[in-house]
């Protein structure tokens, strides 16, 4: 009977591992995405300020490639939030026209950026690089044609550090609860299993007395009583009939 | 019909549906555009040219200027017939009508019917009978109009200051104006405000005059209008700077301009199309025709989706009506003396 | 009567499982509460400073705007429309509850939002006012009566005032509320996982042992003392069964001996001896009439033990596919490639349609195929193909190869499904076939409860591709479980006849048959159309289109599945008892038809919960009665074409309805948008339901013999 116990306890452990694990996983991911969103919207506030200015210039008739005041503005805005690592402005072909980082001007942005911008249903989009996040705004002109894009690069460390701290704590809480279950659940289960085992034991005990012709052993209140009773009755019935036959045979000599 | 066969059929069908996109291959040849302007180069033409430069589309534009002289049209038409450009560009209602005529009465001898024509800066293409419907001209014509839809203007006015009633002065003999006043009335029914429209007086020869205009403005103020709306009206445009605006300022009545010229006369605010953007949009339509080979009849006549909200800060200060704070983000704030520099 | 005790013993085991599951669930709930508590603490500690930082950035941009306005000459206390700007701030940042601008004395000039009780006093505090006067101050944060405030000075060349932004103190609670819903889903899924795992881990032997025990009792009660030559396991039940076997053997030996003795005596006896033996002979006759001895005949043999083994692998495999339901259309949308001539809406539905089509067309032929190669091998092949399909789907480049990989999944699914069905058929006789199928259907239904919700949660958190990877792992797991099935193929007498697919002329003949088509065309097909159209196409796409998550779509599909799990057994027994199955089908169809109409009542997406609730209710009511109705309604046709052919065509058409669902739904979306599509598709089903009711009203119903 030991194996049944072990198996059921194993089930309890597996299921609680799944449930606690999923709950911890959900909390962690929710935290990570919330932090990610907060940081991203912070960065986008800076971005929108720049986009406003670009729009104003475009409205006045300036060409997208001639916004001479833009680099200064970008440097100023970058300074307002230490999180922002760099700001790029690039055209629809992916080529960087202005940037807070001189070296990047003239280079092409990764294709994932332009793809993300195209796929987005609004003017805001995001992309992931290996060591930083990118929050972007598409700049549309007066007849809704996209003339260019603004991309703000910001470090992953803030989000990841925060997520790691939270993750550690959540993991600890999860482990603690799991250990708690590992101790409590088997004890609770054993109470139920014992009843089950008791039923089976009484079954086995009754089975050894199946063919007893004497009075039945007292019913143990298990769920199998009626079944055992039927069994004994049927056997007794058959045996009685055979006894009669025996008697008649004997009587016949 | 085994499973494998079904799968094979499905797979073949799927692959056969793969369309070949040929968006990449553009011809390297240069497109020839014949452009007729009315009064020389404006910002519209600048925007038109710069669009092609920014998109790196190779065009050769032949510029011809009417210099306000309609007699030059015939010579231009002949030149078009002789040189057969890929596209003709026309500036303004009169030039456009000269080149293509009205949709119901054009003359193939005097008008161009076989070369695509793109018009720009036409205030009301349907009213001018250039096209029967904005959705399609049903011929070789398409273009861009520059007056913001009346409802957009009313909403812009409301976003500056909400109002219950507006007043309009207009020239009763100008078809344009009458139509706009009707449109405003229609919007007023939907949006729930009142319109008090006063036609300018006509003199004995049935010609419009600005006589009594300041009194009309005063009456409007007494009738408790919240705004004075200036419709796109040629005669009114000539009188605004000298007569209407001073009267409105005296009555402390805010004014809303429906076109850029009216804005320049000193109205408080207006919803205008930047000529540069109009030029770019016209070039966009030209690109559809030249590069993507879309016939003009399939290109709708449109205007910008976003207009410039202009605000004169000195008028705002004089009237003690500062623009609402959100407007400082997107409106074009004009301060006299200071050129509007980007922030 | 015969199967009663057997059932009781089966239920006994399930009662044990439920009790165990209850205990486990209580422990899990406590553990989850602990985890949630600690999460709340972490969120509070970390999120609040971050949100304050964001508020500071937003405040800085509002301040810049104010300074721009004052730069143009507008006096600070004559600013107009500041509340409008605040409104825009609230829209973009729903966790901000209040914003205000005060002058240097702390008097509020402009404000908007929910004002905290002591806000005004806070503004007038000296420390706060000092911020306004200090040119070097950046910003300060404070907690005031349920709101977190950040305050920032507004100064051009001289100090002007102070800007405050109030963050709703409960926003952490709101963030965690969303997690709570998902955790609840995890709880429900855990419950079902527990039951399945208990069943799996306890071993088939226990269940089948108890089942056999019950059967033995019943057999012996009816006088059957034939000996079964079975090998018994060495556990409690096995030992019990062996003792019963021993008792039976003893009886048999006695009987044989007595019979032998009587025979001898009869042969040796003559004349009056014969007369003396007569009572004995009569006694023997009466014994023979009441009891049976000897060896059990083979055809009463059923493979109970191995029958139970199919549940775990089937559950795992179906789960893999069901997990994709809540996010597959959105994934397709991402990989969309415009196909000329077809609207994008229709293209999104193509993978689902193709899947259903392959399953529909494949089923008739895969049945005989799996018979030939063996059920276990067929399932192994199917699960392998599906695993490859899922893995490749996760790596799909665009729509075209996605179609190919989903076809593989469909093929694998059809193979496993049909082979599993055959497995159950092989190992059940007439009397326990219904139970066998209850086990089969039960595993599938539990998978439909757990799958979409977990899939949606995974998709939101680890992305679509990784979620398909999880499905592949799940399919692989089922592969391992299938490998544990017995390799020996079994055939019971009743499943000896080879199954074949319906022939074309039978299909055509039945299509033209009015009675058959009343049932199939007005009831079965519309039911499937609304099922796949709503659950597989409209719900996932609509939910995501209004900006909500795949997890929410998963929750809705879970509601549907839960309704099915709860109501189908109930309606099955009710409709069997009442014998008016057509009424159940009618009522079910009409309720399904009313489900989408709820969207006329309200615009909120929460009404979709009501839609899937009603849909589940309607489907559950009609589905159990529908297939039994075929036998009742089309007796003439069954006589002519045979029950195989009629059922074959019925199922084929039903599954074609599965394929048509997304197509019809997508076309309706093109014309009327998502909400209109819900209403229209329900309207169509409502019309069919009413038509069915009218068509079957007053028809003569003769109860047909119960078939599977």
């Amino acid at each position: 009977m030991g194996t049944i116990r072990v198996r059921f306890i194993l089930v309890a452990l597996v299921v609680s591992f799944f449930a606690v694990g999923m709950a911890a996983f959900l909390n962690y991911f929710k935290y990570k995405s919330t932090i990610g969103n907060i940081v991203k919207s912070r960065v986008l506030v800076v971005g929108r300020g720049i986009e406003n200015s670009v729009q104003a210039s475009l409205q006045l008739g300036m060409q997208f490639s001639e916004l001479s005041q833009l680099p200064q503005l970008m440097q100023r805005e970058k300074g307002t939030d230490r999180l922002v690592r760099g700001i790029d402005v690039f055209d629809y072909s992916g080529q960087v026209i202005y940037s807070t980082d001189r070296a990047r001007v003239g280079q092409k942005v990764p294709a994932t950026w332009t793809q993300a911008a195209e796929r987005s249903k609004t003017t805001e989009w995001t992309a992931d690089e290996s060591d930083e996040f990118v929050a972007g705004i598409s700049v549309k002109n007066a007849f809704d044609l996209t003339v260019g894009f603004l991309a703000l690069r910001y470090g992953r460390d803030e989000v990841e550090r925060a997520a790691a701290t939270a993750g550690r704590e959540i993991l600890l809480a999860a482990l603690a609860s799991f250990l708690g279950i590992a101790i409590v659940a088997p004890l609770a289960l054993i109470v139920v299993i014992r009843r089950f085992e008791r039923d089976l034991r009484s079954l086995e005990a009754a089975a050894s007395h199946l063919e007893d012709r004497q009075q039945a052993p007292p019913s143990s209140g298990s769920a199998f009583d009626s079944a055992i009773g039927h069994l004994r009755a049927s056997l007794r019935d058959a045996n009685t009939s055979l006894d009669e036959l025996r008697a008649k045979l004997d009587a016949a000599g | 019909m085994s499973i494998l066969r079904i799968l094979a059929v499905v797979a073949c069908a799927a692959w056969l549906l793969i369309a070949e996109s040929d968006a990449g291959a553009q011809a390297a040849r240069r497109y020839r555009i014949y452009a007729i302007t009315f009064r020389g180069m404006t910002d519209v033409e600048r925007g038109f040219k710069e669009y092609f430069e920014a998109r790196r589309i190779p065009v050769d534009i032949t510029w011809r200027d009417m210099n306000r002289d309609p007699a030059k049209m015939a010579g231009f038409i002949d030149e078009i017939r002789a040189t057969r450009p890929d596209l003709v560009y026309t500036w303004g209602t009169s030039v456009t009508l000269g080149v293509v005529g009205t949709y119901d009465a054009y003359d193939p001898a005097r008008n161009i019917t076989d070369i695509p024509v793109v018009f720009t800066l036409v205030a009301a293409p349907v009213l001018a009978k250039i096209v029967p419907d904005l959705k399609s001209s049903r011929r070789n014509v398409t273009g861009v109009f520059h007056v913001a839809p009346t409802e957009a203007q009313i909403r812009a006015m409301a976003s500056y200051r909400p109002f219950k009633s507006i007043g309009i002065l207009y020239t009763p003999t100008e078809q344009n104006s009458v139509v706009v006043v009707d449109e405003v009335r229609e919007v007023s029914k939907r949006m729930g405000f009142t319109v008090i429209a006063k036609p300018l007086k006509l003199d004995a020869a049935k010609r419009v005059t600005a006589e009594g205009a300041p009194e009309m403005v005063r009456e409007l103020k007494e009738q408790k209008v919240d705004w004075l709306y200036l419709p796109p009206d040629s005669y009114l445009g000539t009188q605004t700077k000298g007569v209407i605006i001073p009267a409105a300022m005296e009555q402390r009545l805010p004014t809303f301009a429906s076109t850029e010229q009216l804005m320049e006369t000193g109205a408080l605010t207006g919803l205008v199309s930047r000529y540069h953007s109009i030029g770019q949009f016209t070039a966009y339509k030209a690109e559809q025709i030249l590069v993507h080979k879309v016939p003009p009849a399939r290109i709708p006549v449109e205007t910008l989706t976003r207009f410039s909200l202009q605000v004169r800060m000195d008028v705002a200060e004089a009237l003690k009506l500062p623009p609402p704070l959100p407007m400082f983000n997107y409106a074009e704030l004009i301060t006299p003396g200071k050129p509007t520099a980007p922030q | 009567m015969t199967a009663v005790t057997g059932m009781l013993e089966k239920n006994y085991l399930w009662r044990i499982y439920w009790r165990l599951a209850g205990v486990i669930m209580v422990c899990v709930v406590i553990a989850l509460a602990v985890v949630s508590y600690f999460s709340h603490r972490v969120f509070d500690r970390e999120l609040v400073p971050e949100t304050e930082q964001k508020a500071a950035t937003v405040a800085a941009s509002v301040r810049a705007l104010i300074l721009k306005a004052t730069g143009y000459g507008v006096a600070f206390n004559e600013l107009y429309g500041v509340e409008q700007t605040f409104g825009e701030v609230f829209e973009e940042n729903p966790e901000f509850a209040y914003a205000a601008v005060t002058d240097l004395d702390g008097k509020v000039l402009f404000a908007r939002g929910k004002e905290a009780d002591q806000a005004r006093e806070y503004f007038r505090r000296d420390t706060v006012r000092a911020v306004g006067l200090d040119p070097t101050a950046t910003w300060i944060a404070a907690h005031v009566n349920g709101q977190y405030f950040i305050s920032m000075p507004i100064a051009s060349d001289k100090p002007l005032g102070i800007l405050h932004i109030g963050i709703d103190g409960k926003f952490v609670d709101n963030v965690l509320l969303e997690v709570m819903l998902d955790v609840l889903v995890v709880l429900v899924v855990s419950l079902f996982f527990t039951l399945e795992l208990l069943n799996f881990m306890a071993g088939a032997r226990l269940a089948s042992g108890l089942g056999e025990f019950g059967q033995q009792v019943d057999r012996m009660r009816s006088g059957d003392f034939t000996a079964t030559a079975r090998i018994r396991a060495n556990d409690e039940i096995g030992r019990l069964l062996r003792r019963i076997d021993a008792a039976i053997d003893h009886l048999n030996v006695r009987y044989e001996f007595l019979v032998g003795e009587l025979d001898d005596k009869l042969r040796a006896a003559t004349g009056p001896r014969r007369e003396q033996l007569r009572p004995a002979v009569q006694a023997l006759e009466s014994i023979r009439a009441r009891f049976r001895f000897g060896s059990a005949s083979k055809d009463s043999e059923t493979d109970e033990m191995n029958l139970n083994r199919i549940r775990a692998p089937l559950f795992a495999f179906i789960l893999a596919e069901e997990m994709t339901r809540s996010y597959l259309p959105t994934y397709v949308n991402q990989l969309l490639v415009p196909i000329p001539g077809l609207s994008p809406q229709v293209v999104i539905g193509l993978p689902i349609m193709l899947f259903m089509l392959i399953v529909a067309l494949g089923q008739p032929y895969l049945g005989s195929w799996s018979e030939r190669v063996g059920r276990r091998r067929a399932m192994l092949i199917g699960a392998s193909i599906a695993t490859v399909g899922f893995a490749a789907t996760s790596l799909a480049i665009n729509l075209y190869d996605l179609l190919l990989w989903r076809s593989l999944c469909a093929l694998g699914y059809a193979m496993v499904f049909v082979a599993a069905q055959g497995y159950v058929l092989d190992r059940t006789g007439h009397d326990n076939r219904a139970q066998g199928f209850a086990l089969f259907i039960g595993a599938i239904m539990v998978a439909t409860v757990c799958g979409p919700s977990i899939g949606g949660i995974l998709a939101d958190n680890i992305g679509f591709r990784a979620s398909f990877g999880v499905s592949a792992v799940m399919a692989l797991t089922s592969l391992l479980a299938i490998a544990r099935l017995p390799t020996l193929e079994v055939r019971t007498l009743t499943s000896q006849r080879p199954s074949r697919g319906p022939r074309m002329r039978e299909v055509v003949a039945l299509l033209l048959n009015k009675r058959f088509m009343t049932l199939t065309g007005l009831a079965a097909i519309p039911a499937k159309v609304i099922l796949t159209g709503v659950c597989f196409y409209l719900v996932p796409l609509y939910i995501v289109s209004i900006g909500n998550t795949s997890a929410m779509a998963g929750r809705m599909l879970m509601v549907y599945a839960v309704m099915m799990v709860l109501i189908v057994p109930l309606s099955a027994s009710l409709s069997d008892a009442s014998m008016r199955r057509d009424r159940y089908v009618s009522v079910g169809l009409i309720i399904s038809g009313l489900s989408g109409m709820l969207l006329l009542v309200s615009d909120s997406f929460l009404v979709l919960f009501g839609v899937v609730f009603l849909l589940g209710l309607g489907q559950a009511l009609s589905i159990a009665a529908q297939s039994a109705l075929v036998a009742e309604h089309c007796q003439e046709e069954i006589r002519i074409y045979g029950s195989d052919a009629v059922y074959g065509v019925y199922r084929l058409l039903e599954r074609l309805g599965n394929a048509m669902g997304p197509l019809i739904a997508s076309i309706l979306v093109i014309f009327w948008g998502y909400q209109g599509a819900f209403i229209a598709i329900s309207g169509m089903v409502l019309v069919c339901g009413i038509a069915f009711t009218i068509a079957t009203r007053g028809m003569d119903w003769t109860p047909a013999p119960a078939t599977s």
Side-chain angles (χ1 to χ4, degrees), chain B residues 23 26 31 55 284 286-295:
Chain B
Q26 286 180 19
Y31 301 102
R55 296 293 237 194
Y284 170 78
E287 184 191 20
Q288 303 295 302
I289 297 174
L290 293 171
V291 176
H292 300 291
K293 310 275 184 265
V294 183

Side-chain angles (χ1 to χ4, degrees), chain C residues 99-296:
Chain C
V101 168
T102 68
D103 64 7
L104 292 168
D105 291 323
K107 190 167 76 103
V108 172
L109 295 173
F110 316 100
R112 185 160 176 169
K114 210 165 76 89
E115 193 172 298
D117 277 342
Q118 281 129 19
R120 306 244 167 179
E121 285 106 72
Y122 171 70
F123 295 154
R124 279 196 284 267
R125 269 192 229 164
D126 284 338
T127 44
V128 177
R129 286 169 53 210
V131 169
L133 296 166
D134 181 359
T136 60
T138 47
W139 52 278
I140 61 168
H143 190 155
V144 175
N145 199 16
Q147 280 187 358
Y148 301 95
F149 273 101
I150 67 112
S151 311
M152 176 176 285
I154 309 174
S156 50
D157 47 353
K158 55 177 177 52
L160 293 171
I162 308 169
L163 172 64
H164 306 273
I165 292 193
I167 306 170
D168 186 4
K170 291 210 208 57
F171 86 95
V172 170
D173 287 345
N174 289 337
V175 170
L176 280 175
L177 193 67
E178 295 159 30
V179 181
M180 270 301 121
L181 283 176
D182 282 341
V183 169
L184 207 64
V185 164
V186 168
L187 254 179
V188 172
V189 168
S190 301
L191 176 63
F192 284 105
F193 269 6
T194 309
L195 291 170
E196 290 299 318
L197 265 180
L198 283 172
N199 188 31
F200 179 64
M201 287 289 242
R205 277 201 309 242
L206 193 60
S208 63
L210 278 176
E212 261 210 69
F213 169 63
Q215 273 182 354
Q216 283 281 42
V217 170
D218 288 333
R219 275 172 53 209
M220 285 165 67
R221 270 173 85 177
S222 63
D224 181 353
F225 291 96
T226 51
T228 53
R230 286 270 184 82
I231 307 178
R232 302 297 183 198
N234 191 14
D235 55 17
E236 283 84 350
I237 307 278
R239 289 196 285 275
L240 167 68
L241 288 171
R242 238 186 283 157
R243 287 193 197 266
I244 298 179
D245 282 346
I248 290 182
D249 281 342
H250 292 165
L251 269 180
N252 272 301
V253 163
R254 262 195 97 189
Y255 175 77
E256 294 292 332
F257 186 70
L258 284 170
V259 168
E261 196 182 316
L262 184 58
D263 267 347
D264 285 343
K265 288 197 175 157
L266 272 177
R267 251 180 286 130
T270 51
R273 276 288 287 214
R274 278 255 154 111
E275 283 303 313
Q276 279 176 325
L277 286 170
R278 191 170 298 261
V281 173
Q282 276 172 343
L284 184 58
E285 299 295 312
S286 77
I287 286 179
R288 280 218 178 106
R290 284 175 55 211
F291 305 115
R292 265 179 305 145
F293 295 94
S295 305

Side-chain angles (χ1 to χ4, degrees), chain A:
Chain A
M1 214 61 241
T3 53
I4 285 275
R5 245 188 230 198
V6 166
R7 288 212 211 139
F8 282 170
I9 290 177
L10 206 60
V11 169
L13 291 179
V14 166
V15 168
S16 30
F17 181 75
F18 165 76
V20 172
M22 280 291 281
F25 161 85
L26 283 169
N27 277 305
Y28 172 72
F29 269 98
K30 187 62 169 181
Y31 178 77
K32 195 158 178 206
S33 78
T34 311
I35 281 270
N37 279 337
I38 292 179
V39 172
K40 182 177 70 159
S41 46
R42 217 172 96 195
V43 170
L44 278 177
V45 170
V46 172
R48 270 187 230 116
I50 301 178
E51 189 233 354
N52 236 329
S53 169
V54 170
Q55 285 283 7
S57 306
L58 288 180
Q59 293 274 43
L60 290 176
M62 291 195 198
Q63 282 268 63
F64 193 69
S65 45
E66 293 170 355
L67 304 167
S68 51
Q69 309 266 20
L70 194 53
Q72 281 174 325
L73 173 67
M74 281 162 55
Q75 289 289 2
R76 232 180 21 234
E77 292 289 334
K78 170 166 171 283
T80 59
D81 196 332
R82 51 170 177 77
L83 189 62
V84 177
R85 280 201 195 156
I87 309 180
D88 299 326
V89 173
F90 57 99
D91 66 13
Y92 62 91
S93 70
Q95 193 167 46
V96 176
I97 312 180
Y98 313 97
S99 172
T100 50
D101 181 2
R102 278 287 180 74
R104 289 172 74 95
V105 177
Q107 296 189 343
K108 285 238 177 199
V109 301
T112 43
W113 294 20
T114 40
Q115 280 166 7
E118 264 163 53
R119 252 210 312 264
S120 166
K121 292 198 193 78
T122 63
T123 50
E124 290 172 3
W125 49 271
T126 55
D128 277 350
E129 291 295 306
S130 53
D131 60 339
E132 52 193 14
F133 287 126
V134 180
I137 304 179
S138 308
V139 180
K140 293 200 190 222
N141 70 2
F143 46 99
D144 267 351
L145 199 64
T146 308
V147 290
F149 308 92
L150 176 68
L152 300 109
R153 288 173 289 119
Y154 58 103
R156 295 193 139 201
D157 7 309
E158 177 141 353
V159 174
E160 305 219 320
R161 196 187 29 86
T165 328
R168 247 197 320 268
E169 282 205 33
I170 294 177
L171 184 64
L172 281 174
L175 277 176
S177 340
F178 181 65
L179 281 173
I181 285 196
I183 297 174
V184 169
L187 297 173
L189 279 180
I190 285 177
V191 171
V192 178
I193 297 179
R194 244 195 265 181
R195 172 137 182 224
F196 176 55
E197 291 175 343
R198 196 191 49 178
D199 282 350
L200 287 178
R201 262 200 307 266
S202 78
L203 200 57
E204 194 175 0
S208 54
H209 297 285
L210 265 181
E211 301 176 88
D212 280 357
R213 307 235 184 176
Q214 300 106 337
Q215 280 296 337
S219 56
S220 53
S222 89
F224 298 112
D225 277 349
S226 65
I228 298 284
H230 289 316
L231 259 184
R232 293 176 55 83
S234 323
L235 280 173
R236 203 174 32 236
D237 195 16
N239 268 313
T240 318
S241 309
L242 286 178
D243 286 343
E244 280 175 18
L245 180 56
R246 169 89 268 162
K248 296 225 167 88
L249 260 180
D250 289 342

